[in-house]
Amino acid sequence: MIVDKKKQDQLPAPIEPEVNVTVVDDRYQTEQELIAGNALEDLYLAVSKVIKDLKVNPDDPNSKPLFRTVKWNMGQLNRIRNSKHNEEYAMALPLCLIHFINVYWNLGFNKIGQAYAQMRICYVLNRLNTNDDEYQTEGTRVLKQIIEALNDNMTNISPLITRFQLSYWDQVESFDRGVQQFWITYEVRFNDYTTYRYKKYTPVYLVAPPFTNFSDMDKEHNTDNKENVVRPVEDAAIFTKEVPNVEPEITT
């Protein structure tokens, strides 16, 4: 037996309040330039940040930082060791110094330069009993910690860097000066787009009658109040004109 189902009273749809929406013309949107200012500076800042985040105990995020000083290497360590009076600022050990050598540009075309360099990371430990069995290989453990940290943070390195490859590690050869000085060398390659950018840029609105005319522009952009240009579509659609087929003159 078929029983007619009772129709439920349908409630009217709620009326949404009107909201005034300002429509922005996409034609006049400006984009921010995604070009770094200095590839070497960006690389140093990225690498130094990674090294500053290293911990004495890698498994404990609350552990103390491994390096107490991380600076750009300007020879300050050598000046401290080779002079009787320390005229430099205080540098707490362990420390890490970073600098670049053999920097050269391979090509320069249209203000674009491809550069090569060696990034040298000098880390100095503060242990005096280096001959003890448990500490004599401490430099290699720190080396492994630095390399793994840099590998794990490759995405944070500037996108202008096209090559970042470990090449050398030099261990301490003498303890005469009282510090354990180790060196890590990376081969780096980067593209320098510093000068390849818009300078003295002025926005220009292109009008191509009859497809686009001055009436298509907003009044605020048509500051000269130019009127529409009358131009037949047939004339505007012609890209090339027919050239008569003229046979070349042959001379003997």
Side-chain angles (χ1 to χ4, degrees), residues 200-217:
K200 299 180 181 179
Y201 176 75
T202 302
V204 177
Y205 299 95
L206 178 63
V207 176
F211 307 104
T212 59
N213 228 315
F214 291 103
S215 60
D216 299 326
M217 300 175 58

Side-chain angles (χ1 to χ4, degrees), residues 85-249:
H85 302 284
N86 181 14
E87 298 179 356
E88 300 285 339
Y89 54 85
M91 292 194 303
L93 298 178
L95 66 86
C96 182
L97 302 175
I98 305 171
H99 72 285
F100 297 89
I101 62 173
N102 299 330
V103 183
Y104 68 97
W105 276 256
N106 188 32
L107 60 91
F109 181 72
N110 288 340
K111 297 182 180 179
I112 301 178
Q114 186 182 63
Y116 298 82
Q118 290 180 330
M119 185 187 70
R120 304 205 71 190
I121 302 175
C122 171
Y123 62 97
V124 180
L125 306 180
N126 61 342
R127 195 171 302 281
L128 298 179
N129 51 338
T130 55
N131 290 328
D132 293 351
D133 293 341
E134 58 180 323
Y135 298 124
Q136 62 181 349
T137 57
E138 185 180 14
T140 59
R141 293 196 295 270
V142 176
L143 167 68
K144 182 175 181 294
Q145 192 172 350
I146 295 176
I147 294 175
E148 290 181 350
L150 293 176
N151 291 338
D152 294 339
N153 291 273
M154 286 299 296
T155 56
N156 297 329
I157 295 178
S158 173
L160 298 180
I161 305 300
T162 58
R163 183 180 182 182
F164 189 78
Q165 180 177 350
L166 177 66
S167 57
Y168 299 104
W169 175 70
D170 299 315
Q171 70 175 40
V172 59
E173 297 179 355
S174 175
F175 200 61
D176 294 339
R177 296 182 178 181
V179 293
Q180 299 171 259
Q181 188 172 354
F182 302 88
W183 292 91
I184 305 174
T185 304
Y186 276 87
E187 299 288 339
V188 298
R189 181 189 303 169
F190 57 91
N191 295 327
D192 187 6
Y193 295 96
T194 304
T195 57
Y196 187 67
R197 59 174 61 204
Y198 295 117
K199 292 185 176 180
K200 299 180 181 179
Y201 176 75
T202 302
V204 177
Y205 299 95
L206 178 63
V207 176
F211 307 104
T212 59
N213 228 315
F214 291 103
S215 60
D216 299 326
M217 300 175 58
D218 294 338
K219 293 182 180 180
E220 59 185 73
H221 298 120
N222 190 4
T223 57
D224 298 333
N225 297 322
K226 294 184 179 180
E227 299 181 355
N228 289 341
V229 177
V230 180
R231 186 184 184 191
V233 179
E234 293 77 7
D235 295 344
I238 296 176
F239 293 98
T240 58
K241 295 182 179 180
E242 294 183 1
V243 179
N245 187 11
V246 178
E247 296 182 0
E249 182 180 355

Side-chain angles (χ1 to χ4, degrees), residues 36-53 70-73 96-100 119 121 150 153-158 161 164:
N38 192 326
L40 287 177
E41 181 182 9
D42 293 342
L43 179 57
Y44 164 75
L45 294 176
V47 172
S48 62
K49 183 180 183 304
V50 173
I51 294 178
K52 289 178 181 178
D53 293 337
V70 180
K71 293 291 184 180
W72 181 281
N73 190 359
C96 182
L97 302 175
I98 305 171
H99 72 285
F100 297 89
M119 185 187 70
I121 302 175
L150 293 176
N153 291 273
M154 286 299 296
T155 56
N156 297 329
I157 295 178
S158 173
I161 305 300
F164 189 78

Side-chain angles (χ1 to χ4, degrees), residues 28-46:
Y28 308 116
Q29 293 286 337
T30 58
E31 297 182 359
Q32 186 176 3
E33 219 174 344
L34 300 178
I35 299 178
N38 192 326
L40 287 177
E41 181 182 9
D42 293 342
L43 179 57
Y44 164 75
L45 294 176

